[in-house]
DNA sequence: TCCTCTCCCACTTTTGAATAGG
DNA sequence: ACCTATTCAAAAGTGGGAGAGG
């Protein structure tokens, strides 16, 4: 289990966590956590600001299934990408602690380049094969339960098993687009809603990279050991176990080869002795050579400021060394690698200011009131990820969107080992997210970030709402739910003015929410939401004085 | 020729509708 | 009429392999 701590946190402040981790296979790549703060002026500052509640919390993130990840990473993790999208295996599953139980957060994941190289598989290992292709604009996978109170995120491990990877840049189905033969690492974003009752508390957001979950995107598996590991651990691939002996095609082929070999043996009048390598191929175990697994002492820690964070905070300095440059823990082959090409500030910076305001209480809670008591019970990490209960449905207990701001605390239910949320709770009905709460500068940044294959932010926001609509009021999937692309496609909106029912419906439901915002923000957001104009257009009008 | 990618196949798991029984 | 358990078919997810294309 790996836990990530804020890099600002002095080491002396860690005894509790260190004691906890001492028994739990942890280390502290402290610079993996990158707190981002917002100020009232929309600028970012990276300091221990009292306004930044999220970043002042002792937020810990732990990657689950660490043993499995270690097995894969020791060989060189590969993730299949297909045109229609392929799930990750192992999937990213994290436990989060230290959030404010009352405050709503969004949890988002994306993939960032691990380095600026392209790779090729040469016989039995990966080799650098030139420079990487230009990084595709980030596609964020917003966890379906977003936004949800902190206590819900902390209640169960947060699973991103539904995240799909693709190499199809034209897809608009919420897939994460990657380049084949490029190396990526998952990055988690925890975005806090601003507090409507305390305009000085602009919230903030944290992001965590998982270098031990780095992988090379491939369209076909290159390393047979990876294939073997996947087959042995992924239930969906059970049909390929026992060397695929139970597969029809294999049986046919095996039968043919057997006959051929019999004939050949008869011809040669000799029995061929199996060679070393061939024997391994037949009897290869799922266990891997863990001697290459790096231990905590190999985690490179640097005291130099992370330029990437600075670039994030100050877009003008975008570009520069990679965030993981200071905490590279992957194979030695990668040690020399550097600098993912992230030439633009992450649009999550924008999104952090874009959250719907959905605090459960206007009373500022104590940041020390974090739910850490559950930690020991979540330490175990079964090898088979399918045995995990996926984090699900925290928002399902949210009584009603329209009273999100008023919902009280509720008690933490029994531990997931005794209660499977996915089986016992209905699917969540995430509150709809509108662009109305978003500062236009943030939105502009976010939309501009997707400069290659522009995907308006409204697509993302309405996708969340679409999920709710598709689920129907009772959580059941509707027969012909509207496609998310139907909403708020800026260029299509005049051609299809009828495609905004979700938006229109949401206006009324969000009235209470909006009333809690400043009048200026309220006016702008409702105007923008009603007209469903691309924010860039709106901003242009603002600048021209319309 | 080699490398990468796409498509289809057979297989397993998951999901949800239909049905039966209390 | 309602609830629960069971059954079953469809959908989704998996790697392998053949073949296309650069």
């Amino acid at each position: 289990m790996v836990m990530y701590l804020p890099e600002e946190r002095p080491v002396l402040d860690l005894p509790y966590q260190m004691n906890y981790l001492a028994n739990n296979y942890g280390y502290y790549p402290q610079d993996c956590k990158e707190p981002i703060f917002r100020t009232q002026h929309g600028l970012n500052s990276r300091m221990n600001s009292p306004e930044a509640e999220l970043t002042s919390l002792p937020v810990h993130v732990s990657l689950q299934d660490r043993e499995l990840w270690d097995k894969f990473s020791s060989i060189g993790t590969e993730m299949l990408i297909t045109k229609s999208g392929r799930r990750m295996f192992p999937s990213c599953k994290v436990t989060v602690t230290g959030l404010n139980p009352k405050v709503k957060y969004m949890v988002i994941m994306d993939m960032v380049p691990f380095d600026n190289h392209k790779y090729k598989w040469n016989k039995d290992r990966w080799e650098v094969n030139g420079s990487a292709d230009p990084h595709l604009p980030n596609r964020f996978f917003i966890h379906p339960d977003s936004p949800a109170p902190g206590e819900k995120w902390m209640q169960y491990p947060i699973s991103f098993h539904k995240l799909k990877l693709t190499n199809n840049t034209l897809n608009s189905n919420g897939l994460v687009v990657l380049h084949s033969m490029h190396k990526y690492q998952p990055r988690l974003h925890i975005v806090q809603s601003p507090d409507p009752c305390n305009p000085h508390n602009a919230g903030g957001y944290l992001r965590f990279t998982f270098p031990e979950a780095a992988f090379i995107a491939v369209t076909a598996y290159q390393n047979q050991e990876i294939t073997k590991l996947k087959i042995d651990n992924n239930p969906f691939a059970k049909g390929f176990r026992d060397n695929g002996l139970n597969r029809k095609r294999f049986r046919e082929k095996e039968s043919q080869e057997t006959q051929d070999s019999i004939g050949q043996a008869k011809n040669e009048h000799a029995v061929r002795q199996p060679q070393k390598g061939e024997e391994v191929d037949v009897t290869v175990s799922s266990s891997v050579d863990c001697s290459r697994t790096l231990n905590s002492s190999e985690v490179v820690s640097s005291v130099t400021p992370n330029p990437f964070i600075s670039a994030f905070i100050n877009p003008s300095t975008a570009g520069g060394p990679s965030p993981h440059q200071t905490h590279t823990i992957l194979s030695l082959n990668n040690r020399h690698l550097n600098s993912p090409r992230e030439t633009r500030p992450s649009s999550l910076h924008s999104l952090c200011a874009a959250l719907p305001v959905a605090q459960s209480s206007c009373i500022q809670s104590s940041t020390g009131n974090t739910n850490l008591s559950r930690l020991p019970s979540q330490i175990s990490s079964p090898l088979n990820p399918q045995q995990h209960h996926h984090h699900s449905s925290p928002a399902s207990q949210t009584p009603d969107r329209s009273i999100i701001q008023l919902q009280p605390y509720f008690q933490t239910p029994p531990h997931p080992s005794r209660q499977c949320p996915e089986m016992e709770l209905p699917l969540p009905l995430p509150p709809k997210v509108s662009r109305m709460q978003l500062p236009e500068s943030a939105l502009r940044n976010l939309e501009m970030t997707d400069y290659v294959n522009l995907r308006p932010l409204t697509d993302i926001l309405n996708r969340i709402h679409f999920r709710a609509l598709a689920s129907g009021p009772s959580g059941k999937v509707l027969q012909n739910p509207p496609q998310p692309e139907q909403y708020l496609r800026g260029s299509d909106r005049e051609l299809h003015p009828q495609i905004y029912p979700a938006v229109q419906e949401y206006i009324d439901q969000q009235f209470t929410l909006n009333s809690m915002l400043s009048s200026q923000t309220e006016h702008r957001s409702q105007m923008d939401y009603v007209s469903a104009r691309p924010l860039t257009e709106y901003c242009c009008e603002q600048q021209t004085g319309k």
Side-chain angles (χ1 to χ4, degrees), chain A residues 81-85 136 139 165-173 175-179 453:
Chain A
I81 57 176
T82 66
K83 195 174 181 179
S84 58
L136 295 165
R139 296 291 183 89
L165 309 176
T166 184
N167 57 349
N168 181 12
T169 57
L170 300 178
N171 92 83
S172 58
N173 296 320
L175 310 180
V176 177
V177 184
L178 304 178
H179 281 308
N453 185 14

Side-chain angles (χ1 to χ4, degrees), chain A residues 32 46 57 62 270 275 338 386 391 400 421 483:
Chain A
C32 287
R46 184 162 167 258
L57 294 174
S62 303
Q275 297 179 2
N338 57 13
Q386 298 302 322
H391 177 281
D400 192 329
Q483 295 303 308

Side-chain angles (χ1 to χ4, degrees), chain A residues 5-15 17-18 30 48:
Chain A
L5 296 175
E7 58 184 20
E8 293 81 10
R9 193 172 301 281
V11 174
L12 292 177
D13 194 24
L14 297 174
Q17 291 89 347
M18 289 299 285
Q30 296 182 18
N48 288 325

Side-chain angles (χ1 to χ4, degrees), chain A residues 100-309:
Chain A
N100 186 330
K102 293 180 179 178
V103 175
K104 292 249 180 180
Y105 302 93
M106 291 182 77
V107 178
I108 302 167
M109 180 162 280
D110 67 345
M111 301 293 160
V112 290
F114 187 85
D115 51 44
N116 59 351
H117 291 107
K118 196 175 180 178
Y119 291 84
K120 68 173 180 180
W121 179 255
N122 189 2
K123 293 181 181 177
D124 61 347
R125 62 178 176 176
W126 287 101
E127 294 178 349
V128 172
N129 185 27
S131 297
D133 296 331
H135 178 44
L136 295 165
N138 282 346
R139 296 291 183 89
F140 301 104
F141 178 83
I142 304 174
H143 195 281
D145 294 346
S146 298
E151 63 180 336
K152 287 302 175 184
W153 293 120
M154 296 186 293
Q155 190 174 336
Y156 307 103
I158 305 171
S159 176
F160 289 89
H161 66 283
K162 288 187 177 179
L163 187 154
K164 284 186 173 182
L165 309 176
T166 184
N167 57 349
N168 181 12
T169 57
L170 300 178
N171 92 83
S172 58
N173 296 320
L175 310 180
V176 177
V177 184
L178 304 178
H179 281 308
S180 179
M181 300 297 173
H182 288 59
K183 194 167 189 175
Y184 296 91
Q185 59 185 341
R187 185 171 60 178
L188 178 76
H189 306 262
I190 301 176
V191 191
Q192 175 188 333
S193 301
D195 185 350
C197 297
N198 181 9
H200 294 283
N201 185 351
Y205 93 87
L206 299 171
R207 61 183 186 187
F208 305 81
T209 56
F210 301 99
E212 70 273 27
F215 61 88
I216 295 179
V218 296
T219 55
Y221 290 123
Q222 308 294 316
N223 188 346
Q224 291 186 356
E225 291 217 25
I226 287 293
T227 304
K228 181 66 179 168
L229 260 184
K230 298 235 179 187
I231 290 174
D232 285 348
N233 292 281
N234 192 335
F236 280 106
K238 272 186 178 177
F240 298 95
R241 293 179 187 174
D242 300 327
N243 289 317
L245 289 174
N246 51 343
R247 280 175 61 84
K248 181 182 178 182
R249 189 182 295 178
F250 185 91
R251 286 195 301 264
E252 293 172 352
K253 183 182 176 182
E254 187 76 2
S255 174
Q256 182 64 39
E257 287 180 353
T258 302
Q259 292 183 4
D260 292 346
S261 63
I262 290 174
Q264 188 177 359
K266 286 180 179 177
N267 292 336
E268 295 177 355
H269 300 284
V271 178
R272 182 170 168 267
Q273 294 296 324
Q275 297 179 2
K276 255 187 179 178
E278 293 174 347
E279 188 173 15
V280 168
D281 282 345
V282 174
T283 62
V284 61
S285 163
S286 62
S287 61
V288 296
D289 178 11
C290 294
S291 61
R292 289 168 53 206
T293 303
L294 304 181
N295 55 37
S296 58
S297 64
E298 294 179 87
V299 176
V300 181
S301 181
S302 170
V303 295
T304 58
N306 189 332
F308 186 77
I309 298 177

